[in-house]
Amino acid sequence: MTAKTRMPLSTRAYLADTSALILFFTTTGAINERWIAGMTWEQVLHARLIGAALMIPVGRPYGMWRDWMMRHARETRLSRLLWDSLALMSFQVPIYAAIIAVSGATGSGLLRGVLGAAAMMLFLGRPYGAFLNAVRRLFGLPPGGRRPMSLND
């Protein structure tokens, strides 16, 4: 019996979605905070620590939100890109704005950070969606947006 078969589907889904979110956005968030928002390295560290702590409870809800949004996408590349980007932006930008505000971004730096994050989310929506699906495969899960994963398994 493998670990995949011993671990309930809901636990694997939580671990996959949360791990993917932390790995992907710790890196991209730091880039935005340092070079777009102009935050100091100390502020970036603070924002990434808060971000990681917040990603733990929101990783799976975001995965479920993305799956629901992706059910609206057609099978065309453009449609999947659009829906992935819209899902990421609509869920993550408000959370990100709060993170960098609490971490010390103010005024124009806060505005640049939020606008930079929104642009990044539009650009990174599909790459993150593909990354999330790859992480899900590692956990023995189906890709999102096609068939629902039951939380009761």
Side-chain angles (χ1 to χ4, degrees), residues 43-121:
Q43 290 172 323
V44 170
L45 176 63
H46 189 250
R48 292 302 85 227
L49 291 173
I50 291 171
L54 287 175
M55 286 184 236
I56 293 169
V58 302
R60 181 64 185 136
Y62 172 71
M64 294 167 68
W65 171 253
R66 178 190 172 263
D67 291 349
W68 180 79
M69 293 283 285
M70 291 303 289
R71 288 189 191 112
H72 296 87
R74 294 188 179 104
E75 287 301 316
T76 67
R77 183 176 286 172
L78 182 60
S79 181
R80 297 192 70 72
L81 182 140
L82 174 69
W83 283 101
D84 242 339
S85 296
L86 184 60
L88 189 60
M89 205 171 109
S90 64
F91 193 95
Q92 298 295 349
V93 171
I95 294 169
Y96 184 76
I99 291 170
I100 65 171
V102 167
S103 298
T106 58
S108 65
L110 177 62
L111 180 61
R112 282 192 319 272
V114 171
L115 292 175
M120 285 177 64
M121 300 297 170

Side-chain angles (χ1 to χ4, degrees), residues 30 34-35 39-46:
R34 182 66 180 141
W35 287 287
M39 296 168 68
T40 66
W41 282 114
E42 184 178 340
Q43 290 172 323
V44 170
L45 176 63
H46 189 250

Side-chain angles (χ1 to χ4, degrees), residues 9-10 12-15 17-18 21 55-67 91 136 141 148-151:
L9 180 63
S10 60
R12 284 188 284 138
Y14 170 81
L15 291 173
D17 289 2
T18 303
L21 196 67
M55 286 184 236
I56 293 169
V58 302
R60 181 64 185 136
Y62 172 71
M64 294 167 68
W65 171 253
R66 178 190 172 263
D67 291 349
F91 193 95
R136 285 175 169 177
L141 300 169
M149 290 186 278
S150 171
L151 293 176

